[in-house]
């Protein structure tokens, strides 16, 4: 149990299968130990694994993904402003990776009349952009989720064959250690996009600051730019500065 805690604290999140393979015990044993550790308040059980908040000033742990329609309604004006500011940074003929999510959907809406190549694993974004000017590409693979999205090893392998000028990544939450998402499968695609992009941009509204979710996408040092609606403050702001993440603040139009 002590080894479980050490590994979960070090990683932020570990899946049951990872812990079992790492420690050489069955997944059933890991589940029992996680139940005990959760009861003691040492870790937080999450879908398929565990999260540690040891040593963190976390305002919220967000484990359950709301539906896309609900996420679109949350802080909608801020997300529209973030998407429009991000779109203004893109030049014609560039190759763009656009992640799934409600804020990246706002970016896609702002790119409807832009002559760019867009790679996305979001069927909703792909269908939207297919009626506009961009050339749109989807990887192959398994389709899942309410958005829905393309996931799996086939999609990852195909995306690793390309090089993108920009990757625009959405997230469920963000803290001193990086950006997080709800789904391990979607996170694997996000990580592939980050790895193959020249500029990595997180599109995250300020309601998601100082919180964490199930799976870490990447640390702050992996990002070049954060586009948000309010300047990060306190220790979180200091960590972003130390990681040399440029911050752009998009001002939402008044209601």
């Amino acid at each position: 149990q002590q080894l479980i805690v050490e590994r979960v604290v070090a990683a932020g999140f570990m899946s049951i299968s990872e812990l079992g393979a790492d420690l050489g015990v069955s997944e059933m044993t890991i589940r029992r130990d996680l139940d005990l550790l959760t009861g003691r308040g040492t870790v937080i059980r999450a879908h398929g694994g565990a999260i540690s908040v040891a040593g963190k000033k976390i305002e919220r742990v967000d484990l359950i993904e709301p539906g896309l329609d609900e996420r679109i309604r949350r802080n909608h004006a801020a997300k529209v402003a973030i998407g429009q500011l991000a779109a203004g940074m893109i030049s014609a003929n560039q190759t763009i990776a656009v992640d799934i999510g409600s804020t990246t959907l706002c970016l896609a809406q702002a790119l409807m009349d832009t002559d760019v190549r867009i790679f996305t694993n979001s069927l909703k974004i792909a269908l939207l952009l297919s009626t506009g000017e961009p050339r749109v590409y989807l990887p192959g693979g398994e389709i899942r989720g309410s958005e829905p999205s393309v996931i799996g090893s086939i999609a990852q392998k195909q995306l690793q064959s390309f090089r993108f000028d920009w990757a625009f990544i959405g997230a469920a939450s963000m803290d001193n250690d990086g950006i997080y998402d709800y789904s391990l499968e979607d996170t694997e695609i996000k990580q592939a996009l980050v790895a193959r992009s020249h500029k990595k941009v997180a599109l995250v509204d300020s309601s998601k600051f100082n919180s964490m979710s199930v799976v870490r996408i990447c640390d702050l040092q992996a990002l070049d730019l954060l586009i948000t609606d309010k300047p990060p403050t306190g220790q979180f702001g200091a960590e972003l500065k130390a990681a040399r993440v440029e911050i752009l603040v998009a001002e939402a139009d008044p209601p």
Side-chain angles (χ1 to χ4, degrees):
Q1 291 175 14
Q2 181 60 38
L3 291 173
I4 289 173
V5 172
E6 290 174 359
R7 281 156 174 76
V8 173
V9 167
F13 169 86
M14 284 197 74
S15 69
I16 290 170
S17 59
E18 288 174 329
L19 286 166
D22 190 20
L23 300 177
V25 298
S26 71
E27 293 186 11
M28 185 177 294
T29 298
I30 295 295
R31 287 189 179 92
R32 285 198 297 263
D33 287 336
L34 287 178
D35 288 339
L36 290 170
L37 293 168
T38 299
R40 297 172 191 163
T42 308
V43 300
I44 297 173
R45 278 298 300 270
H47 178 67
I51 293 170
S52 171
V53 294
K56 294 174 176 283
K57 293 183 178 180
I58 299 295
E59 295 177 3
R60 188 181 75 254
V61 177
D62 196 356
L63 303 182
I64 300 174
E65 182 175 18
L68 180 61
D69 289 343
E70 181 181 344
R71 284 184 283 127
I72 289 172
R73 288 193 295 269
R74 292 181 180 179
N75 304 301
H76 180 66
K79 293 176 180 180
V80 169
I82 290 169
Q84 291 174 343
L85 181 56
M89 304 176 65
I90 299 170
S91 302
N93 298 314
Q94 288 190 316
T95 301
I96 313 300
V98 180
D99 183 25
I100 66 167
S102 55
T103 310
T104 52
L105 179 61
C106 292
L107 166 62
Q109 291 166 339
L111 291 174
M112 289 290 289
D113 299 321
T114 307
D115 182 16
V116 292
R117 291 177 296 272
I118 296 179
F119 288 75
T120 183
N121 66 315
S122 166
L123 269 66
K124 190 174 185 72
I125 288 175
L127 288 171
L128 170 70
L129 290 172
S130 69
T131 63
E133 291 298 318
R135 285 157 286 171
V136 186
Y137 303 86
L138 275 168
E142 179 187 357
I143 297 173
R144 67 168 292 278
S146 59
E147 291 201 38
S149 61
V150 183
I151 60 167
S153 58
I154 296 174
Q156 292 176 57
K157 186 175 181 180
Q158 289 181 358
L159 291 169
Q160 288 165 358
S161 301
F162 298 97
R163 188 70 178 173
F164 307 110
D165 295 302
W166 299 86
F168 292 97
I169 305 299
S173 54
M174 192 171 190
D175 74 352
N176 296 348
D177 290 334
I179 57 176
Y180 299 82
D181 197 54
Y182 301 100
S183 163
L184 175 62
E185 294 82 5
D186 285 330
T187 296
E188 290 171 343
I189 300 296
K190 294 171 189 279
Q191 291 169 341
L193 299 180
V194 167
R196 300 301 301 165
S197 298
H198 177 61
K199 290 286 188 179
K200 299 91 169 174
V201 185
L203 305 182
V204 182
D205 72 82
S206 59
S207 70
K208 299 174 181 177
F209 293 170
N210 294 312
S211 62
M212 66 185 299
S213 191
V214 178
V215 192
R216 189 172 71 167
I217 300 166
C218 63
D219 58 26
L220 298 180
Q221 286 76 11
L223 300 173
D224 295 297
L225 177 63
L226 166 65
I227 303 181
T228 186
D229 61 310
K230 293 181 182 178
T233 59
Q235 184 62 32
F236 179 50
E239 292 289 345
L240 285 164
K241 183 176 181 180
R244 298 184 178 180
V245 178
E246 182 183 358
I247 299 168
L248 292 181
V249 176
E251 296 186 6
D253 292 332

